[in-house]
Amino acid sequence: MNSELQCVKWWNSTEPFFLCFSEQSKVVCGYPISIFFIIVNEFCERFSYYGMRAVLVLYFKYFLQWDDDLATSIYHTFVALCYLTPILGAIVADSWLGKFKTIIYLSVVYAIGQVAMAVSAMHDITDSDRDGTPNNMTFHVVLSMVGLFLIALGTGGIKPCVAAFGGDQFDDHQERQRRTFFSVFYLCINGGSLLSTIITPILRGQTCGIYSQQKCYSLAFGVPAALMVVSLVVFIAGSGMYYKAKPEGNIMLSVCKCIGFAIKNRYRHRSKAYPKRKHWMDWAEEKYDVRLLIAQIKMVLKVLFLYIPLPMFWTLFDQKGSRWTLQATTMDGNFGQLVIQPDQMQTFNPILILTLVPIMESVVYPLIKKCGFNFTPLKRMTVGMFLAALAFVCAGVVQLQIDKTLPIFPSTSESQLKLLNMGNNQLEVHLPNNFTVNLPPAQASEEYFTYKEQEVSISIGNPPVTETVHLVKGQRQTLLIPPTIREEWVLVSNMNLCQESITEVEEIKPNSIHMALQIPQYFLITAGEVMFSVTGLEFSYSQAPSNMKAVLQAGWLLTNSVGNFIVLIVAEIAKFPKKWAEFFLFASLLVAVCVIFSIMAYFYTYIDPMEIEAQFSQEKDEDEEDEDEKDKMRKTEEQMVKRDSVKSNDSDNAFKLSKM
């Protein structure tokens, strides 16, 4: 039972006595009232996290002025930390503070981090010259990095605690209500994610500032910060109604110690003189004589081995918040009366999750089963990985279409040149490689010409007038041709012309590839998530021993963290000049990993942990019965020896009396 024993001290004359009773938590419609505080807390916290994360990569690119690769790297480093810190949170909660205090303390850290992010996005703080651009970018970078670290510590630390704390509020006879709570809890996660990814990009699109109006990243971070404070206040408000289980020690630490001892003991007995054992974990029997613990660890290791290829799925999945958002910035988001912001495209993920989960569970899977196909959890996960790979193939195809419409900028070893006719007569310009351009009066060439040479010879007129132009590598420059071609020709990097007769030319055309083309890749990645992630959690739970489900949960979250570190490595080391090539690379890697995982899944044997644990319990009971039987036989033998001894003494005494 989850009710605590309450005792009241009474006095009778001079002697005290105690009246103790069990206080049940208040219920509403059969549910403990305390869980409503937990559900509201989770909704606000998920709104805070996903709202901040939705605009994060654009904040890096447009506010901090980082390039795409650095913005992607820091984004995925942050996400990786968010999925690494749950291990720390679980250890702290189970070993020292308990779930309630861990949630409180880390939520305070979380809220401070969100506030730090909101302050870091206020450009007026260091805008000393009032031009709308911060003059001390170091301040904003440092404060934002501190804020992200605190957020990662907070959101990751409370992640393994909140759901488990909610489950603790139910009594043993409320199993149905507990299942309903977890379903509502999952809906709150997706509901908070959906609303935040719609609202915060709208807030980012507003303009704000004291001295100059700029994109309002401070408001986009400030609202999630406020929601985190609300989350903390709501959770504290229900403090008096919670059942707060005391920390009982961390099974994760026990597992790590047992594994460590087995490895150490095996290394110590590596000589051929020692007989081999069936499993390397059997080397822990010298210290850990509880055979059930070793058997449970074997079950966990069997599942963790299957986890090895899984990080590659998360490598692709979490790029919808980085690479895909950056891709959307080069696309047209005009849907008639509705204009979609690049970071709002992420809303398709929670919308599709809420749609696809019930369809898969009630329609797709039953139909597959009726067709006689054994669609096991591991097969579902394999298909989910393949769908994610297809999503990145779609992203690569979309990127190819985008690249056709984007301007081509010079590399560090190239220069680009545009020609501008300042006169009133048409000119025929002869460029290197026998290339000729006709320039109308007061107009520029439609495109830039790319050269690897730094010195380029250009001829005009008949007889020709030739000029040698010195170009700067890595830059775009414009050659101003005067009305009289024998006058000085001017080469500029940034044009600032005021001649009214000059025809305006678009340097970069508006985005023409529509954002709707991203919908197929979002559909495929979400379908892959439903088949991979939801099924993976179910599989992990079903294959985990009763007391080690938290260990496998930590291992599952760790695969997500490793996957984000893989993105970091590729973004910083590979540095593909073409984004479509990077998308196709990730798709190819996941297909290869998918094949490896399918082979591993083929040789995996499903187990029933409860049945195995029951066998050990039965063997233990039989051993105890054998010990009881041995004790009884030993006592019987002792009594028989004692009786024989008494008879012997009696006969001796009779013999002595007769002699007398």
Side-chain angles (χ1 to χ4, degrees):
M1 297 291 289
N2 287 340
S3 53
E4 291 181 300
L5 196 65
Q6 305 290 331
C7 295
V8 180
K9 187 176 182 180
W10 294 81
W11 289 86
N12 181 13
S13 183
T14 58
E15 296 294 328
F17 69 94
F18 295 88
L19 177 63
C20 297
F21 58 93
S22 178
E23 179 181 323
Q24 304 289 335
S25 61
K26 297 179 181 179
V27 295
V28 175
C29 299
Y31 295 88
I33 195 171
S34 57
I35 68 164
F36 295 99
F37 292 91
I38 297 172
I39 288 174
V40 175
N41 162 268
E42 181 66 13
F43 175 84
C44 294
E45 187 274 326
R46 289 291 87 186
F47 185 106
S48 176
Y49 174 73
Y50 284 109
M52 177 275 305
R53 189 173 133 175
V55 301
L56 187 59
V57 75
L58 298 185
Y59 167 75
F60 291 155
K61 181 174 182 179
Y62 295 112
F63 188 92
L64 298 183
Q65 300 295 315
W66 290 348
D67 61 30
D68 288 2
D69 288 337
L70 181 58
T72 300
S73 298
I74 301 300
Y75 174 88
H76 286 283
T77 301
F78 165 70
V79 176
L81 286 175
C82 290
Y83 286 96
L84 193 61
T85 50
I87 298 174
L88 177 63
I91 292 174
V92 170
D94 291 345
S95 301
W96 296 297
L97 297 179
K99 299 183 188 71
F100 176 75
K101 289 184 179 179
T102 301
I103 295 171
I104 292 292
Y105 295 157
L106 290 181
S107 293
V108 172
V109 173
Y110 193 166
I112 293 173
Q114 289 282 34
V115 172
M117 284 299 298
V119 174
S120 74
M122 295 179 180
H123 62 276
D124 289 314
I125 294 178
T126 61
D127 186 12
S128 57
D129 55 5
R130 313 290 172 82
D131 66 347
T133 304
N135 296 103
N136 184 6
M137 194 60 75
T138 303
F139 168 81
H140 297 276
V141 171
V142 171
L143 189 58
S144 61
M145 293 302 102
V146 171
L148 288 177
F149 176 77
L150 295 178
I151 292 171
L153 185 63
T155 187
I158 68 175
K159 191 183 294 289
C161 300
V162 179
F165 185 72
D168 289 345
Q169 307 308 307
F170 295 88
D171 287 329
D172 295 336
H173 67 277
Q174 295 178 303
E175 185 61 33
R176 180 182 62 82
Q177 289 89 340
R178 183 185 283 113
R179 287 198 303 269
T180 305
F181 162 74
F182 283 117
S183 299
V184 174
F185 190 85
Y186 185 73
L187 287 176
C188 286
I189 292 174
N190 287 281
S193 169
L194 175 60
L195 286 178
S196 63
T197 49
I198 294 174
I199 294 173
T200 52
I202 296 175
L203 299 177
R204 176 193 60 80
Q206 308 301 311
T207 56
C208 60
I210 300 173
Y211 307 116
S212 62
Q213 299 293 304
Q214 301 294 331
K215 292 295 183 182
C216 206
Y217 288 97
S218 56
L219 181 61
F221 290 143
V223 170
L227 263 293
M228 190 59 223
V229 173
V230 171
S231 172
L232 177 59
V233 171
V234 169
F235 187 76
I236 294 175
S239 175
M241 305 177 190
Y242 299 138
Y243 166 74
K244 304 165 188 174
K246 295 180 180 179
E248 300 177 354
N250 197 315
I251 187 64
M252 199 179 303
L253 291 178
S254 301
V255 170
C256 292
K257 288 179 180 179
C258 187
I259 293 174
F261 178 79
I263 295 173
K264 184 178 178 181
N265 199 33
R266 176 67 184 91
Y267 180 77
R268 190 183 299 136
H269 298 85
R270 62 187 181 278
S271 172
K272 293 183 178 180
Y274 299 98
K276 292 183 178 181
R277 303 190 182 183
K278 289 184 178 180
H279 194 280
W280 61 271
M281 273 303 303
D282 293 334
W283 289 96
E285 291 178 351
E286 279 81 350
K287 182 177 181 181
Y288 296 87
D289 55 352
V290 182
R291 293 173 55 208
L292 176 59
L293 175 64
I294 296 175
Q296 289 171 330
I297 294 176
K298 289 178 182 177
M299 288 186 268
V300 168
L301 291 175
K302 188 178 180 182
V303 178
L304 289 178
F305 177 72
L306 275 178
Y307 282 178
I308 294 175
L310 302 189
M312 187 52 66
F313 173 86
W314 301 114
T315 298
L316 276 68
F317 178 78
D318 281 327
Q319 289 190 62
K320 69 184 189 302
S322 57
R323 290 298 198 207
W324 287 11
T325 300
L326 293 172
Q327 184 186 63
T329 62
T330 61
M331 304 177 76
D332 179 15
N334 191 350
F335 287 78
Q337 298 294 324
L338 180 64
V339 178
I340 300 294
Q341 299 294 325
D343 34 0
Q344 283 182 317
M345 285 299 293
Q346 299 175 55
T347 58
F348 279 99
N349 179 248
I351 291 173
L352 289 170
I353 284 179
L354 295 174
T355 305
L356 289 177
V357 168
I359 292 176
M360 289 287 191
E361 293 293 338
S362 59
V363 178
V364 177
Y365 294 153
L367 282 176
I368 294 175
K369 188 176 182 180
K370 282 187 177 181
C371 292
F373 184 71
N374 186 19
F375 203 32
T376 62
L378 293 180
K379 290 178 181 177
R380 295 182 193 177
M381 294 173 68
T382 304
V383 173
M385 296 169 78
F386 183 72
L387 290 175
L390 286 181
F392 263 66
V393 171
C394 290
V397 172
V398 170
Q399 190 63 46
L400 283 171
Q401 299 302 314
I402 293 172
D403 288 350
K404 294 178 182 178
T405 65
L406 294 179
I408 300 174
F409 291 96
S411 65
T412 55
S413 62
E414 296 176 333
S415 304
Q416 288 186 337
L417 179 67
K418 174 171 279 196
L419 305 175
L420 176 58
N421 183 1
M422 304 288 288
N424 297 321
N425 299 316
Q426 180 168 313
L427 297 177
E428 186 178 87
V429 183
H430 301 279
L431 299 172
N433 302 321
N434 297 321
F435 190 78
T436 302
V437 178
N438 291 315
L439 285 179
Q443 289 193 24
S445 56
E446 293 184 357
E447 59 185 29
Y448 280 91
F449 305 100
T450 303
Y451 299 101
K452 292 188 178 295
E453 301 83 5
Q454 284 189 275
E455 293 186 354
V456 177
S457 296
I458 300 174
S459 300
I460 299 176
N462 188 16
V465 175
T466 303
E467 289 281 348
T468 300
V469 180
H470 299 274
L471 303 176
V472 179
K473 288 189 176 182
Q475 289 189 11
R476 280 184 157 190
Q477 295 174 282
T478 301
L479 179 63
L480 308 182
I481 303 174
T484 304
I485 60 174
R486 295 189 180 278
E487 294 179 0
E488 182 183 2
W489 297 11
V490 179
L491 186 66
V492 295
S493 295
N494 298 311
M495 290 193 302
N496 185 16
L497 306 174
C498 57
Q499 185 174 337
E500 294 182 359
S501 61
I502 297 296
T503 303
E504 184 176 340
V505 178
E506 283 184 332
E507 287 288 302
I508 300 177
K509 296 180 180 180
N511 298 332
S512 58
I513 303 299
H514 205 275
M515 282 187 194
L517 289 180
Q518 280 195 324
I519 294 177
Q521 65 200 56
Y522 271 99
F523 176 82
L524 288 170
I525 200 76
T526 306
E529 178 191 7
V530 171
M531 301 190 77
F532 178 87
S533 182
V534 176
T535 306
L537 288 171
E538 174 192 346
F539 168 78
S540 300
Y541 190 88
S542 67
Q543 298 296 290
S546 57
N547 63 335
M548 295 189 185
K549 298 187 186 296
V551 176
L552 277 184
Q553 177 70 10
W556 178 264
L557 295 174
L558 189 61
T559 64
N560 197 313
S561 179
V562 174
N564 281 274
F565 278 122
I566 293 174
V567 183
L568 170 65
I569 293 170
V570 173
E572 284 301 313
I573 294 179
K575 290 191 179 295
F576 285 88
K578 300 293 184 181
K579 296 303 177 189
W580 61 264
E582 184 175 296
F583 289 147
F584 287 142
L585 171 67
F586 279 121
S588 301
L589 290 175
L590 186 56
V591 169
V593 168
C594 187
V595 172
I596 295 171
F597 181 75
S598 63
I599 296 172
M600 296 170 65
Y602 178 79
F603 290 101
Y604 182 84
T605 304
Y606 291 85
I607 60 172
D608 185 352
M610 294 183 64
E611 183 179 343
I612 295 174
E613 290 172 345
Q615 291 176 358
F616 275 92
S617 298
Q618 184 178 356
E619 290 178 3
K620 182 179 179 181
D621 293 340
E622 291 175 355
D623 291 341
E624 289 177 354
E625 290 178 2
D626 291 342
E627 288 294 327
D628 291 341
E629 289 295 328
K630 290 179 181 179
D631 289 340
K632 289 179 181 178
M633 291 180 64
R634 197 160 38 244
K635 289 179 180 178
T636 303
E637 290 176 355
E638 290 175 354
Q639 291 174 356
M640 291 178 65
V641 169
K642 191 178 294 182
R643 284 197 297 268
D644 291 342
S645 175
V646 170
K647 290 180 180 179
S648 176
N649 289 335
D650 290 344
S651 60
D652 288 345
N653 289 335
F655 176 75
K656 289 177 181 178
L657 287 172
S658 63
K659 290 292 285 183
M660 288 174 66

